[in-house]
Amino acid sequence: MILKRIVPNGTVSTTLSCEASQAFSNFQLNRLFKDFKVFDIDGDGSITEKEIKSVLMKVGDKSSLGDVKNVIKEVDTDGNGEIEFPEFVQLMYLLKTKKIKTSRFGNVVKKVTTIKREGGGVHSYTQEEKEGLVDFINNSLSGDQSVAHIIPIDPRGDDIFYEVRDGILFAKIIDKYFKGTINMRRIVQKPRLNKFELINNLNLVLQASKKLLIKLVNIGPEDILEKREHLILEGQGGRKKINLSNAPPEELLKSWFNYQLEKVGCDIRINNFTTDLKDSKALTFLLTAIDENNCDLSPLQEQDPMRRAELFLQMADKIGARKFINAKDIVKGNNRLMTAFLAQLFLANPSMDDSESKRLERELKLKLGKFRSRMKDITGQTNKLRSAINRLQDELDREKRERLELEKHLKNLQTDLIDQADPNIRGLLLAKLREKQKGGIVDVEKHIDDFLKSLRARFPDQPEYIKTVERTLKKLRSFLIKHPEYAEYIKEILEPENIIEFDVPWVDDRGKVHKEKGYFVQHSSSLGDYNGAIQFDPETDLGTLKALGLENAPSHPVSTLKIGGGKGGSTSDPKSKSGKEKKNFNESFMRELYKKIGKNFEISKKGKGTGKTELDQLYDMYQKLSAGKGNKWGSSIHPKATGSGIVHITDQALKANGQSLVNIKVALSGFNDESLNAADTLIEKGAIPITLSDETGFINVPNGITKEQIKKLKNLKEQGKPLREITRLDRTIKFIPNKKPFNSVKCDVAIACQDKDEISEQDAQILAQNECIAVTDCARDASSEEAIQVYGDKGVLYIPSKLATLGSTAISKLELEQNQSGQPWSEGIVDQKLKEIMQNAFEDCQQITKEYCDRPTDYDIGAEISGFKKIADQLIENKKKGIQKKLKKGVTWEGFQTPEDFINNLMEQLRKEFPFQTEYLESVEEFLNSILPLLRTNPEYSKVAQIMTRPQKIIEFEVPWKDARGRM
């Protein structure tokens, strides 16, 4: 039978089985729903593999990460790969009724939900501790008729956290054991209490607790009202016999315990309430000291620790002291329950007269004084050490500044002397100077190592970005050693200029509002506006986008284009959205991004999860926001630009090495615009494209794919159908499932357009054995580092993605030139201009490669050096012209070193002054971001920006008026 039940908070209507529904109270269901929401991070009503992993990482449990898929399968009764709330409740029901003994997901839930992070600390409780507290309350109030409808409380359930929320049970416990501590007449006792009455009761309880020196851990009335289990009264202590308010309760109990042991002539002394008490021996002596008439040492004759603990508890029961603990708690060494047991034993049976109390008080004060004295000495020594370290650091900083000034002075002096020397010997002097400066190699190496150490320390959670930086510096090392003056630009070029993070709200088809994370990373704007791709993928994170942006930035200068680098994206999953939802999301993404950076950027490439439709929707919203005055995007004047660029650069590389594309068999991977357009252009060049692939396999056409077949393939792709479907349309095409073309088919040239790490070291070995002469990477890092090494060793020509993917970027600039010329260009003219750009890029890369690389065909290294050098040269030129961030010494943006810092500070001030005026704050932020380029080159305008964004005067007044009855 299935029935409907509303979770108590009223937010979710859940379909539960009748058995599961009846097994839990409303309060318990509410608790279960809160536990469910801990895992359901995006609030969509289901728990995914990614969400479980994220929660486990947050609580520091990495041991369960590898088994998450199996954990989900165990609970996922409908087989959709996710856990919905009814499935969650059903599992908890089966565990509660012991119909199943254990569950891996149940263990994960228990581990996560009993570790709550609040106030910067970790609080937790065990089932034993909870049962001990419930048993104590049940025993203490069993005869009280006013709470007979509540007592006894089930110790196995969680009802205790609901029943104590009105403070009445706590008040009765305090009044029973400490008469007069709490005024019971002020405690409101009735069936239904309003919030003010609840808070009144809880405040009285907490005040009474403080009088008794009960240790409270960050507890207020709202914590008990909200049933925060782990924050309900933790620790004990008391003034009943000893007036020592500054002594920690644990120290008081230890001193009392040891005093009682000494009194009965026992040699045992305890230092803790766990290992020292596990054998029950000291506990047995303690009871004998407290009540020698009813207690003896007979439990010590028992050899089994568990049985001995039980005998001890039976003896404690005789004097009414068996509270909080059981035999298992003693043997296990539960510190909290043992502390609670000893505290109530001490308060009920101190077994000391006044003189003994005073003696114990003196001993504790002496211990406390020694401890404070020791802490004072340690603090003094620490302060002295810190001062010494600061002085040493100041001296080192001063020496470093002096050394740098001296080196700069000597370098300028040497340069001036060489410039004034006889032209006939100037070359010799320069050579000698460079030879002497070889010692500078160590400085460059150290500079690189220090930068990488800093990067790893600052971004430990961004391994892909760190790996990309390491790979980039490895390629730049030979150039930087020859030109150490460029080393100072490493940080400025390899780290993003700006990182923009924002929320993207969007509405689904049911009218429900969702929020997803959006990013835009900006690199190297010294050459021009930011230009790059956008990707929408659930696996998107900041580290990945920074890596992609870094790869993007130096590739643009290689083509001689004046363009900066950029990469944006979101955690959105387009596959899970309808067409309308995609449009809603795309438009919202552009609105939020435009608020942050204005119109000075461009998206010319498709990224993961974005195709023509997504780019068109983003572009339409961009033009709407910029009132039609924004940059032109895309490749509308040459739809095949990306594919044509790949083929042009491959052709250039082959010709430079005495080869040609004519009659060459080319294996392509990928089933996307790049691979299809490249195949089309290859046919026009006289080459023979023989393969295309997707994640399920590849097609093989040994005699060459035809233009007609490419049309069919493009139609198939536009319909969203997999590659294997082409065999239904054309029986001459063979589809090979679950294999890759590069290790299955012989080819002369391989062009990888499908995915990262597509060609492994083994694949590269097979290509070389099959006499492949060239490999072109179109997808980022399609060839692994080991594969690239194989190419170099085996003489296979390698064209990196930095060169191969320039076509899409170049075409957007050509479109701008066409618009400025006022004349439409034919596709042939555009293709010729594109070919010239790709040719210039290759020739520049080739020249750099010959100058700085071990092999004249190391185009991968050459492209990296070429891009880096062009950006660095532009930065140097900007400095000369006074366009750098610090235009000249002493010039700042109202006291800040960068315009970004100035804007952030101004916005922070405005948010503090006008915290509830969100529309005003959003408008100011949008305005400041739109004038950011102006502020970069004109710091003096920052004062104007301050005046413009802040109201000069705000006038508020009351308007009296009369209604129809004449009332004011």
Side-chain angles (χ1 to χ4, degrees):
M1 178 179 175
I2 300 293
L3 57 85
K4 291 277 186 180
R5 184 161 189 175
I6 302 297
V7 174
N9 64 4
T11 56
V12 172
S13 177
T14 325
T15 304
L16 303 174
S17 72
C18 182
E19 289 179 337
S21 176
Q22 298 303 319
F24 297 107
S25 65
N26 273 352
F27 168 70
Q28 290 171 328
L29 268 181
N30 198 27
R31 276 285 314 282
L32 287 176
F33 187 60
K34 285 184 178 179
D35 290 346
F36 180 80
K37 287 202 294 183
V38 170
F39 292 89
D40 183 18
I41 296 169
D42 60 6
D44 65 350
S46 62
I47 302 171
T48 64
E49 179 185 347
K50 184 179 177 183
E51 287 173 327
I52 294 177
K53 286 183 176 180
S54 176
V55 173
L56 288 173
M57 289 293 286
K58 283 179 184 175
V59 299
D61 179 20
K62 298 181 181 179
S63 60
S64 308
L65 291 174
D67 205 30
V68 170
K69 283 188 179 177
N70 292 328
V71 166
I72 290 178
K73 272 185 195 175
E74 179 186 72
V75 189
D76 181 23
T77 55
D78 60 8
N80 67 349
E82 298 177 353
I83 301 172
E84 285 79 26
F85 185 60
E87 294 170 331
F88 184 85
V89 173
Q90 183 67 19
L91 174 67
M92 296 300 113
Y93 163 70
L94 294 174
L95 289 171
K96 179 181 178 181
T97 56
K98 298 185 178 178
K99 292 186 178 180
I100 59 173
K101 291 184 179 179
T102 185
S103 159
R104 282 177 291 189
F105 183 66
N107 292 336
V108 168
V109 173
K110 185 176 180 182
K111 189 177 294 183
V112 171
T113 56
T114 58
I115 299 177
K116 310 278 187 176
R117 296 183 182 273
E118 298 200 12
V122 178
H123 304 266
S124 62
Y125 67 92
T126 66
Q127 182 69 15
E128 292 85 357
E129 290 165 359
K130 182 184 69 175
E131 289 178 2
L133 174 66
V134 175
D135 287 338
F136 173 69
I137 292 175
N138 286 340
N139 292 331
S140 300
L141 302 179
S142 58
D144 192 330
Q145 293 302 312
S146 65
V147 290
H149 62 291
I150 298 173
I151 303 297
I153 300 169
D154 182 5
R156 293 170 302 174
D158 292 330
D159 291 346
I160 177 63
F161 302 116
Y162 181 80
E163 301 297 355
V164 300
R165 68 190 296 269
D166 59 9
I168 295 172
L169 290 184
F170 279 146
K172 286 183 174 291
I173 290 285
I174 293 172
D175 187 55
K176 177 172 181 175
Y177 290 102
F178 307 99
K179 281 287 182 185
T181 304
I182 188 167
N183 187 348
M184 290 300 293
R185 286 177 299 177
R186 292 180 61 191
I187 297 291
V188 183
Q189 300 183 56
K190 60 182 185 180
R192 289 175 179 262
L193 275 66
N194 61 40
K195 189 169 183 180
F196 297 105
E197 292 168 334
L198 287 169
I199 290 175
N200 168 73
N201 284 1
L202 295 173
N203 276 328
L204 289 171
V205 167
L206 294 176
Q207 288 166 13
S209 301
K210 289 176 182 177
K211 287 180 187 176
L212 297 170
L213 293 189
I214 292 176
K215 182 181 173 186
L216 304 179
V217 182
N218 299 333
I219 304 177
E222 64 281 356
D223 297 310
I224 303 176
L225 278 174
E226 293 177 18
K227 304 176 284 297
R228 295 180 185 167
E229 309 94 309
H230 50 287
L231 289 179
I232 290 174
L233 300 180
E234 181 181 291
Q236 301 78 23
R239 292 176 183 259
K240 187 169 185 181
K241 293 293 178 184
I242 297 178
N243 182 18
L244 195 64
S245 58
N246 291 325
E250 292 83 359
E251 286 299 319
L252 175 64
L253 289 174
K254 275 191 273 185
S255 296
W256 171 74
F257 199 134
N258 286 325
Y259 169 76
Q260 298 295 340
L261 294 176
E262 181 184 353
K263 191 167 75 171
V264 294
C266 176
D267 295 331
I268 301 172
R269 295 293 181 270
I270 64 154
N271 295 307
N272 58 66
F273 298 153
T274 53
T275 54
D276 288 356
L277 301 181
K278 281 184 177 183
D279 59 6
S280 304
K281 290 180 181 178
L283 291 168
T284 302
F285 278 105
L286 176 65
L287 286 189
T288 306
I290 290 173
D291 190 342
E292 61 183 7
N293 296 322
N294 294 305
C295 303
D296 55 38
L297 300 178
S298 58
L300 299 182
Q301 298 173 8
E302 176 61 50
Q303 298 301 312
D304 178 52
M306 185 68 75
R307 177 63 186 152
R308 189 188 306 131
E310 186 54 50
L311 291 172
F312 159 76
L313 289 172
Q314 289 173 11
M315 199 159 59
D317 202 22
K318 291 178 183 178
I319 63 172
R322 182 170 181 165
K323 295 180 178 69
F324 291 109
I325 57 172
N326 56 41
K328 184 179 176 182
D329 297 326
I330 296 173
V331 175
K332 195 175 176 181
N334 190 311
N335 182 64
R336 290 186 185 175
L337 291 178
M338 188 56 71
T339 304
F341 167 76
L342 291 173
Q344 61 88 25
L345 188 62
F346 165 69
L347 293 170
N349 305 281
S351 189
M352 291 189 300
D353 56 27
D354 289 342
S355 62
E356 290 171 328
S357 295
K358 287 178 181 178
R359 175 192 159 191
L360 184 58
E361 184 176 338
R362 285 194 301 272
E363 288 178 3
L364 278 171
K365 281 183 177 177
L366 184 62
K367 283 184 182 179
L368 194 61
K370 286 180 180 178
F371 174 75
R372 285 174 176 166
S373 177
R374 178 63 180 151
M375 286 303 298
K376 188 175 180 181
D377 290 342
I378 292 171
T379 304
Q381 292 170 11
T382 303
N383 290 336
K384 286 179 182 178
L385 183 61
R386 187 178 291 113
S387 299
I389 290 171
N390 290 337
R391 283 197 304 273
L392 182 60
Q393 187 62 49
D394 289 342
E395 289 175 13
L396 290 172
D397 290 343
R398 188 177 66 255
E399 288 180 9
K400 185 177 178 181
R401 286 195 302 271
E402 290 173 355
R403 181 172 59 81
L404 290 172
E405 285 294 327
L406 182 60
E407 286 178 359
K408 185 178 178 182
H409 176 70
L410 288 173
K411 189 175 179 181
N412 292 337
L413 184 61
Q414 288 170 335
T415 305
D416 291 343
L417 289 172
I418 291 171
D419 288 342
Q420 296 170 19
D422 189 316
N424 295 322
I425 63 167
R426 193 176 295 160
L428 178 63
L429 287 173
L430 280 170
K432 288 286 185 184
L433 180 61
R434 283 181 182 170
E435 186 178 345
K436 188 176 180 181
Q437 286 177 340
K438 280 185 180 178
I441 292 173
V442 178
D443 290 338
V444 169
E445 296 279 9
K446 186 175 183 305
H447 188 86
I448 290 172
D449 290 341
D450 289 347
F451 174 68
L452 285 173
K453 283 179 187 175
S454 167
L455 217 60
R456 293 185 191 109
R458 285 182 289 140
F459 309 113
D461 57 339
Q462 298 177 11
E464 191 159 357
Y465 170 58
I466 301 294
K467 184 180 177 183
T468 303
V469 172
E470 289 172 342
R471 192 167 54 238
T472 300
L473 286 172
K474 185 178 178 182
K475 296 172 188 174
L476 294 173
R477 198 174 289 264
S478 62
F479 167 75
L480 292 171
I481 286 171
K482 289 183 180 179
H483 296 283
E485 66 272 17
Y486 283 93
E488 66 177 281
Y489 297 99
I490 288 174
K491 186 176 188 299
E492 195 166 354
I493 295 174
L494 300 192
E495 288 196 46
E497 288 180 358
N498 296 306
I499 295 173
I500 294 110
E501 297 184 57
F502 51 94
D503 289 328
V504 184
W506 61 279
V507 182
D508 66 17
D509 290 339
R510 293 173 294 178
K512 184 179 177 182
V513 178
H514 302 264
K515 272 190 182 180
E516 302 196 51
K517 201 71 181 171
Y519 308 92
F520 199 79
V521 178
Q522 298 173 322
H523 272 278
S524 307
S525 65
S526 58
L527 291 170
D529 290 344
Y530 302 111
N531 186 301
I534 292 286
Q535 74 172 39
F536 295 149
D537 182 72
E539 301 297 323
T540 297
D541 59 35
L542 192 54
T544 304
L545 293 178
K546 284 169 70 175
L548 292 167
L550 174 56
E551 295 244 336
N552 206 5
S555 68
H556 295 159
V558 175
S559 65
T560 70
L561 296 170
K562 296 288 185 178
I563 306 173
K567 185 72 180 184
S570 170
T571 52
S572 169
D573 183 7
K575 294 177 183 176
S576 65
K577 294 181 176 64
S578 67
K580 183 181 176 183
E581 288 173 337
K582 285 181 188 177
K583 185 178 181 185
N584 289 344
F585 175 82
N586 294 336
E587 291 179 347
S588 179
F589 180 91
M590 182 50 62
R591 274 195 301 270
E592 298 304 318
L593 177 59
Y594 195 89
K595 284 179 189 176
K596 298 290 183 183
I597 58 177
K599 64 184 178 64
N600 295 312
F601 70 99
E602 195 169 322
I603 301 170
S604 62
K605 300 176 185 177
K606 300 167 190 173
K608 196 172 183 180
T610 56
K612 185 178 184 303
T613 303
E614 284 75 15
L615 281 185
D616 287 346
Q617 290 169 355
L618 290 167
Y619 180 69
D620 289 344
M621 179 53 65
Y622 168 80
Q623 286 295 350
K624 182 179 177 182
L625 293 168
S626 64
K629 296 178 181 178
N631 298 331
K632 298 292 181 183
W633 298 359
S635 53
S636 58
I637 61 173
H638 190 3
K640 295 197 304 181
T642 306
S644 297
I646 294 166
V647 176
H648 287 324
I649 207 78
T650 305
D651 192 30
Q652 287 292 327
L654 288 172
K655 286 178 179 176
N657 290 274
Q659 303 284 346
S660 167
L661 275 174
V662 178
N663 293 326
I664 287 287
K665 285 194 172 184
V666 182
L668 296 104
S669 66
F671 182 44
N672 47 41
D673 291 342
E674 288 83 357
S675 57
L676 290 168
N677 290 331
D680 207 351
T681 309
L682 282 168
I683 295 170
E684 294 168 4
K685 288 277 188 181
I688 306 167
I690 57 173
T691 68
L692 288 166
S693 69
D694 64 10
E695 58 274 8
T696 64
F698 72 97
I699 60 169
N700 182 21
V701 186
N703 295 325
I705 301 170
T706 65
K707 287 259 189 184
E708 188 60 36
Q709 288 170 332
I710 288 173
K711 286 181 183 177
K712 292 178 183 178
L713 286 162
K714 285 182 177 180
N715 289 333
L716 199 67
K717 178 187 166 295
E718 286 174 7
Q719 294 169 23
K721 294 182 179 179
L723 180 60
R724 64 175 176 270
E725 292 294 317
I726 190 63
T727 56
R728 298 176 183 273
L729 304 175
D730 193 323
R731 299 292 182 184
T732 63
I733 297 177
K734 184 180 179 183
F735 181 78
I736 295 89
N738 304 319
K739 286 192 176 182
K740 298 189 292 186
F742 302 130
N743 56 19
S744 305
V745 174
K746 282 190 175 185
C747 62
D748 301 309
V749 172
I751 298 180
C753 302
Q754 187 167 321
D755 208 353
K756 181 183 177 184
D757 293 328
E758 186 181 346
I759 303 178
S760 65
E761 181 181 8
Q762 186 179 359
D763 296 332
Q765 293 283 6
I766 293 171
L767 285 168
Q769 288 169 13
N770 289 338
E771 298 181 346
C772 178
I773 59 175
V775 176
T776 300
D777 274 0
C778 304
R780 171 178 169 261
D781 297 335
S783 295
S784 68
E785 289 188 64
E786 296 78 12
I788 295 171
Q789 185 63 44
V790 171
Y791 301 150
D793 295 341
K794 300 291 184 180
V796 179
L797 199 61
Y798 173 61
I799 299 98
S801 59
K802 271 188 174 59
L803 289 173
T805 59
L806 291 174
S808 59
T809 307
I811 207 67
S812 65
K813 289 301 174 186
L814 290 177
E815 186 166 14
L816 182 61
E817 288 180 24
Q818 176 201 253
N819 294 340
Q820 290 172 345
S821 71
Q823 297 292 326
W825 294 345
S826 67
E827 190 173 315
I829 293 173
V830 175
D831 192 62
Q832 182 58 37
K833 289 181 178 289
L834 175 63
K835 186 177 178 181
E836 290 171 6
I837 290 173
M838 303 304 279
Q839 183 176 343
N840 292 336
F842 176 77
E843 289 173 354
D844 182 71
C845 176
Q846 188 180 33
Q847 182 181 345
I848 292 286
T849 304
K850 287 178 181 177
E851 186 174 353
Y852 295 105
C853 302
D854 296 333
R855 290 184 291 250
T857 55
D858 283 342
Y859 301 133
D860 185 29
I861 299 173
E864 198 75 63
I865 294 172
S866 175
F868 180 88
K869 185 175 182 298
K870 281 191 173 77
I871 296 172
D873 286 341
Q874 187 64 51
L875 288 171
I876 294 168
E877 185 65 24
N878 288 350
K879 281 188 177 182
K880 289 178 182 177
K881 293 179 179 178
I883 304 176
Q884 78 280 23
K885 287 181 181 177
K886 293 180 183 179
L887 298 184
K888 57 185 178 182
K889 194 172 181 180
V891 174
T892 61
W893 287 261
E894 292 302 298
F896 293 92
Q897 297 300 316
T898 68
E900 289 83 3
D901 289 344
F902 161 72
I903 289 175
N904 290 337
N905 180 264
L906 179 56
M907 287 305 305
E908 190 175 343
Q909 289 179 8
L910 293 175
R911 287 188 190 101
K912 286 179 182 177
E913 288 182 48
F914 311 106
F916 305 112
Q917 299 180 15
T918 52
E919 196 168 343
Y920 160 66
L921 292 171
E922 285 177 2
S923 299
V924 171
E925 189 171 13
E926 186 177 347
F927 166 71
L928 289 173
N929 283 316
S930 69
I931 64 167
L932 182 57
L934 179 67
L935 290 176
R936 282 202 181 101
T937 53
N938 299 276
E940 64 274 14
Y941 288 165
S942 52
K943 183 67 176 176
V944 180
Q946 272 187 333
I947 296 169
M948 289 179 67
T949 53
R950 194 184 296 274
Q952 289 185 353
K953 203 173 198 181
I954 297 176
I955 302 167
E956 295 184 62
F957 51 91
E958 293 180 348
V959 182
W961 61 281
K962 291 182 179 180
D963 63 14
R965 297 180 182 179
R967 294 180 299 185
M968 288 296 292

